[in-house]
Amino acid sequence: ETGVTQSPTHLIKTRGQQVTLRCSSQSGHNTVSWYQQALGQGPQFIFQYYREEENGRGNFPPRFSGLQFPNYSSELNVNALELDDSALYLCASSLTSGSRQETQYFGPGTRLLVL
Amino acid sequence: GNSVTQMEGPVTLSEEAFLTINCTYTATGYPSLFWYVQYPGEGLQLLLKATKADDKGSNKGFEATYRKETTSFHLEKGSVQVSDSAVYFCARNNAGNMLTFGGGTRLMVKP
């Protein structure tokens, strides 16, 4: 059983650029959630995808967007990057069955630095 | 909104000392509660969880009991090791299974 994987591991961008981060969910999981973890802080929920649709969103502007693919993998896109977007971006996968959602398991993260 | 508050670190202990990291949560709804651990340069690993009041989660010598009357989920370990040095996050889930995390507590264990 493979765990959650994310790519790339590190990324450097400049202000105003766009970035795409990728996540492959754990085998058997159908739901992907994205979190932003600024240095020295706890993760903050960005959004969740289930059945290829956004299934909940935190307090992040529309320039943060995402996709989920039929194989349950997911992308996080951030447009018009700002310096404050520098953070560790964590992907978590889980299994949703009916109205029940199981525990979220996290990938190793992508560390984004915006200069 | 829902929130999680945990004791600020760093917590510095000697090997084999007793560990307690306090965590309290807002009492909205009937959340599941979690402790995740983050080792340097890595993502989050689930350490333990509890899904209802009076449940005790345990793993690798760590324990936490879901206390509804005090809205707490304190993490304990009887004898810490140097390898336990990491940042520990308490979390609760919300509608849609969004997780709300505390700010994290850094534990440093010295030989």
Side-chain angles (χ1 to χ4, degrees):
Chain A
E1 178 180 288
T2 55
V4 181
T5 60
Q6 293 185 241
S7 63
T9 55
H10 296 82
L11 203 52
I12 300 175
K13 293 285 188 178
T14 56
R15 275 184 303 174
Q17 285 189 311
Q18 178 266 343
V19 69
T20 297
L21 310 181
R22 296 178 175 83
C23 171
S24 291
S25 60
Q26 183 170 311
S27 176
H29 288 180
N30 56 13
T31 302
V32 173
S33 304
W34 286 92
Y35 293 80
Q36 179 194 67
Q37 185 182 18
L39 195 62
Q41 298 183 21
Q44 300 290 317
F45 175 74
I46 303 174
F47 44 54
Q48 183 180 89
Y49 276 83
Y50 171 60
R51 291 185 174 177
E52 302 178 48
E53 293 187 357
E54 190 177 285
N55 187 43
R57 188 178 184 94
N59 189 27
F60 280 82
R63 60 188 185 85
F64 285 78
S65 63
L67 287 172
Q68 186 180 33
F69 300 98
N71 66 354
Y72 307 122
S73 66
S74 176
E75 288 183 354
L76 163 65
N77 299 289
V78 186
N79 293 322
L81 283 166
E82 301 177 359
L83 296 180
D84 285 348
D85 295 334
S86 295
L88 180 68
Y89 288 85
L90 295 165
C91 167
S93 76
S94 56
L95 174 63
T96 300
S97 179
S99 61
R100 179 181 175 86
Q101 292 199 34
E102 304 291 340
T103 301
Q104 294 183 27
Y105 292 89
F106 285 79
T110 294
R111 189 164 297 281
L112 172 65
L113 177 61
V114 182
L115 300 176
Chain B
N2 295 321
S3 65
V4 174
T5 304
Q6 55 183 110
M7 62 189 290
E8 291 189 17
V11 173
T12 303
L13 296 173
S14 297
E15 206 165 24
E16 299 184 1
F18 184 85
L19 168 70
T20 300
I21 300 178
N22 291 338
C23 170
T24 58
Y25 63 93
T26 51
T28 308
Y30 302 94
S32 294
L33 302 173
F34 307 85
W35 278 100
Y36 285 87
V37 58
Q38 187 172 37
Y39 297 100
E42 298 185 11
L44 301 178
Q45 296 179 24
L46 177 66
L47 182 59
L48 54 83
K49 68 177 183 180
T51 58
K52 61 183 186 297
D54 300 325
D55 268 3
K56 176 185 284 188
S58 61
N59 185 28
K60 300 181 181 179
F62 291 89
E63 293 183 341
T65 301
Y66 191 141
R67 302 284 189 199
K68 187 177 178 182
E69 64 276 12
T70 54
T71 62
S72 65
F73 192 54
H74 304 323
L75 182 67
E76 297 182 336
K77 186 175 185 183
S79 176
V80 294
Q81 306 300 312
V82 172
S83 58
D84 294 327
S85 298
V87 181
Y88 292 81
F89 292 94
C90 184
R92 60 160 287 164
N93 67 349
N94 308 289
N97 209 33
M98 171 187 85
L99 291 175
T100 297
F101 287 87
T105 303
R106 180 175 300 278
L107 170 65
M108 299 170 58
V109 181
K110 297 184 175 180

